[in-house]
Amino acid sequence: MGSHAAPKRRGRALWPSMSLLLLVALVGVPRAEGAPVSADACRATGTELPRGDCGPFWQVLAEDFDGDRVPLGGFRDCEHRVDTSAAYCGGLRGAYRDNWWAYPTGWRDTAGDRGRDVVGVYHPEDTVSVGPAENGDGRMSIRMWRPADGGPVHAAAVVPRAVMQMKYGKYSARIKVTKLAPGYKSAWLHYGGGCELDHPEGEWTGDLTAFHHPCGGGEQGYFPGADDWTEWHTVSTEWTPGHVRFFVDGRQVGHDTRDVPNRPLSWVLQNESALEGPGAAPGSSAQLDITWVAAYAYDWK
C-alpha cells in the first residue's frame, strides 16, 4: 500500500516570496516547439537524460549527476525552512544546494508509525552521495544501512527543489538497485490533503509498483509495473487535471481519474525501511542508484 513519512515538526507553511520566485522562474523557461506527443509524452524510455519540452509539459529540471561530486556528509544541516520551496541543506554548495533538499536527520520514516520491529530514521548525511560509477556514469547513490548493534535503519528522502509545491507536471527518473538486501524499500510520492500518488513503490526484494490513493478516500489504485528493482528502469508519473498516469520504460502501467489531486504537492524521492516482509538485518545495507532525473511543469494552455 502507499506510504509517506510521518516526521515530527513537519512545517506546512509556504514562503510566499520564494513561491513567487519559483513561479517566475518556471514561466521564464523557454518552450521547445513541435515536441512529439505519445502515450508517454516525453518518450522517456532510454538511457539518456531527456532534454527539452514534450507534449503539454515544459522541462524545469534536467539532472544527470555528471557535474560536481557530493561526498557523504554533503547532505547535512537540512533543517532550514523545511517542506517549503525555500528549504535547503546547509552542507551543500553550488547547483546542488540550489536544486536539492533532503528530509533532515532525525525524522522518522513510515515504519515508525506502522508498528514494525525494524524502523528507520532519516540520515541524509551518511546515506546520500553524488559521483561517478565505475564506468564513469554520474549517479546519485542512496545507500541505506542498519547499524551492527541493531539500531534503526539509516534512511534517505531527497527532494528536487524546482518542483516543490507544484501543481501537476511530469516526473521521470532512471533507477536501479545496485545492491540488494531484505528490509529496504522506496516510495517516491506526492502527498498532502488526503491525496497521494506513489511511483515507484515497493520493497526492493519485491515488485516495482505504482499506487493512487484518491483524495476523497476509497479503494486505492494498484498498478504493477516491473518485477525486478535490480534492472535499470525509467519510471515516469504524468499528473494532469483529472488524470494520473504511470509509466515504466515508456509503457503505461496505470491510469486513474478518481479524485486526482488539484493542489500543489512536492515530489519526494523517499527511500526507507521495509513495511512488509523481514526487517533489515543488523549490519546490512542496500543501495539504489539514480542516473538521471527530469521534471516538467504542465502547460495550462
Side-chain angles (χ1 to χ4, degrees), residues 99-112:
N99 294 332
W100 293 91
W101 177 62
Y103 281 1
T105 300
W107 283 10
R108 298 175 301 154
D109 76 0
T110 312

Side-chain angles (χ1 to χ4, degrees), residues 212-279:
H212 173 224
H213 301 265
C215 299
E219 184 178 358
Q220 68 180 5
Y222 164 70
F223 309 102
D227 292 335
D228 193 348
W229 286 84
T230 62
E231 300 292 334
W232 282 108
H233 293 295
T234 298
V235 293
S236 299
T237 298
E238 292 183 5
W239 171 30
T240 58
H243 296 267
V244 58
R245 294 178 171 87
F246 304 108
F247 298 86
V248 176
D249 300 327
R251 175 174 57 92
Q252 181 172 301
V253 298
H255 175 211
D256 210 341
T257 60
R258 299 170 301 140
D259 287 327
V260 174
N262 63 356
R263 53 178 287 166
L265 298 171
S266 297
W267 187 30
V268 182
L269 283 53
Q270 179 177 272
N271 311 280
E272 56 186 1
S273 58
L275 298 182
E276 298 179 356

Side-chain angles (χ1 to χ4, degrees), residues 10-26 60 78-89 95-103 107 159-167 264-268:
R10 293 298 298 272
R12 293 296 178 194
L14 289 176
W15 289 69
S17 59
M18 289 302 296
S19 297
L20 180 60
L21 287 174
L22 176 60
L23 177 60
V24 171
L26 294 181
V60 297
C78 297
E79 294 190 352
H80 301 275
R81 300 173 180 174
V82 301
D83 268 351
T84 77
S85 56
Y88 67 93
C89 296
Y96 284 105
R97 179 163 175 161
D98 293 338
N99 294 332
W100 293 91
W101 177 62
Y103 281 1
W107 283 10
V159 185
R161 291 184 60 199
V163 290
M164 290 185 76
Q165 295 297 318
M166 189 171 78
K167 187 176 178 180
L265 298 171
S266 297
W267 187 30
V268 182

Side-chain angles (χ1 to χ4, degrees), residues 54-123:
C54 46
F57 303 103
W58 44 293
Q59 194 170 58
V60 297
L61 176 67
E63 176 59 74
D64 60 8
F65 305 110
D66 286 334
D68 293 340
R69 300 186 183 194
V70 180
L72 287 176
F75 277 84
R76 68 178 187 277
D77 188 25
C78 297
E79 294 190 352
H80 301 275
R81 300 173 180 174
V82 301
D83 268 351
T84 77
S85 56
Y88 67 93
C89 296
L92 295 177
R93 297 290 181 268
Y96 284 105
R97 179 163 175 161
D98 293 338
N99 294 332
W100 293 91
W101 177 62
Y103 281 1
T105 300
W107 283 10
R108 298 175 301 154
D109 76 0
T110 312
D113 293 331
R114 299 291 180 86
R116 293 279 295 181
D117 292 335
V118 178
V119 301
V121 174
Y122 291 109
H123 281 277

